[in-house]
Amino acid sequence: MPTDEPKWEDQEETIVSFAQVPPQPTTEAQPPGAAAAGDEDATIVAPQKPGRAGLPDDRTVVAGERPVAEQVDLLAWLVISRTPSVRRGQIFTLDKPRSDIGRGADVAVFLNDPGVGHQHATVKYEIASDGTPQFVLYDLASTNGTFLNGKRVTSPAALKDGDRIRLGDTELAFKRL
C-alpha cells in the first residue's frame, strides 16, 4: 500500500554555518566584555573577578576568610564506622587541601547513602590563626545537615583525633597522627 507522504530518505538536509566575526578591540574606557557602540547583536558579559592565584576553586562561602594551605603536611583520614551499605571500615586519606564528602561523582569521599547530598560537606586543611595546621569541617548547606560528635555543624569546626562526623545514616571517624 503506497503512500504519497515523503519519507525521511526523501527530505533534504539543510546545513547552517555562521561566518567568523573577528573580536572587537577593547579600549581603556571600555571594560572587557562590554558591547561596542552601535553593535546591537553584541553579547554583554560582566568582567570576571580575579581568582586567588594558586588556590583551588572554593565553593564554600564563609565570613572571615581563613588561609588554606597549598599542600597537606599532616597524616589524617576518615574511616566509615557506620553505614547502611557494606562499606564499613573503608578508609579515605585526607591528602588534599580540600576533600568533598557526598554521593556525587566528583567527591573525594563517596558515601552510598540516600540521606547524603551530592556535595554534602567538606574537610579543608587550613592554617589556624596561631599558625598551626588543622583540618576543618564545613557543611555545604546540606538539607539533612552535618553533625560533629552529635551536634549540628552551623559554622566551620576544627577536627580532633577521634571526632565522629555523621551525614545521613553514615558515620565517619576522623583519625589524625
Side-chain angles (χ1 to χ4, degrees):
M1 150 182 345
T3 64
D4 292 338
E5 292 181 34
K7 297 184 175 144
W8 67 270
E9 298 96 353
D10 300 331
Q11 295 179 1
E12 291 184 28
E13 184 176 321
T14 303
I15 299 174
V16 178
S17 63
F18 297 96
Q20 297 263 341
V21 179
Q24 297 284 336
T26 59
T27 63
E28 292 291 329
Q30 182 180 3
D39 187 1
E40 58 274 347
D41 292 333
T43 302
I44 299 173
V45 178
Q48 297 283 330
K49 290 183 181 179
R52 294 180 295 173
L55 295 179
D57 176 33
D58 192 358
R59 295 174 297 260
T60 307
V61 178
V62 178
E65 185 100 9
R66 297 179 186 191
V68 177
E70 293 181 24
Q71 180 179 340
V72 178
D73 296 328
L74 296 176
L75 183 58
W77 57 93
L78 294 172
V79 180
I80 298 178
S81 58
R82 189 181 77 202
T83 181
S85 72
V86 295
R87 297 174 48 220
R88 186 170 179 237
Q90 185 172 358
I91 298 171
F92 299 94
T93 305
L94 300 175
D95 56 356
K96 293 184 177 39
R98 178 184 174 126
S99 298
D100 289 341
I101 305 169
R103 59 184 172 94
D106 58 345
V107 296
V109 180
F110 175 78
L111 302 176
N112 190 13
D113 182 339
V116 174
H118 288 274
Q119 286 188 320
H120 194 103
T122 191
V123 175
K124 290 185 182 180
Y125 180 70
E126 300 176 345
I127 307 300
S129 57
D130 64 357
T132 59
Q134 63 183 356
F135 289 91
V136 181
L137 176 66
Y138 292 83
D139 180 57
L140 298 179
S142 63
T143 303
N144 296 332
T146 302
F147 296 84
L148 177 61
N149 299 324
K151 295 182 182 175
R152 189 174 187 133
V153 175
T154 56
S155 62
L159 295 171
K160 304 179 307 292
D161 184 46
D163 279 347
R164 301 286 182 172
I165 302 166
R166 185 173 58 82
L167 306 97
D169 291 326
T170 302
E171 185 175 275
L172 302 165
F174 175 76
K175 301 301 285 175
R176 174 181 161 181
L177 289 180

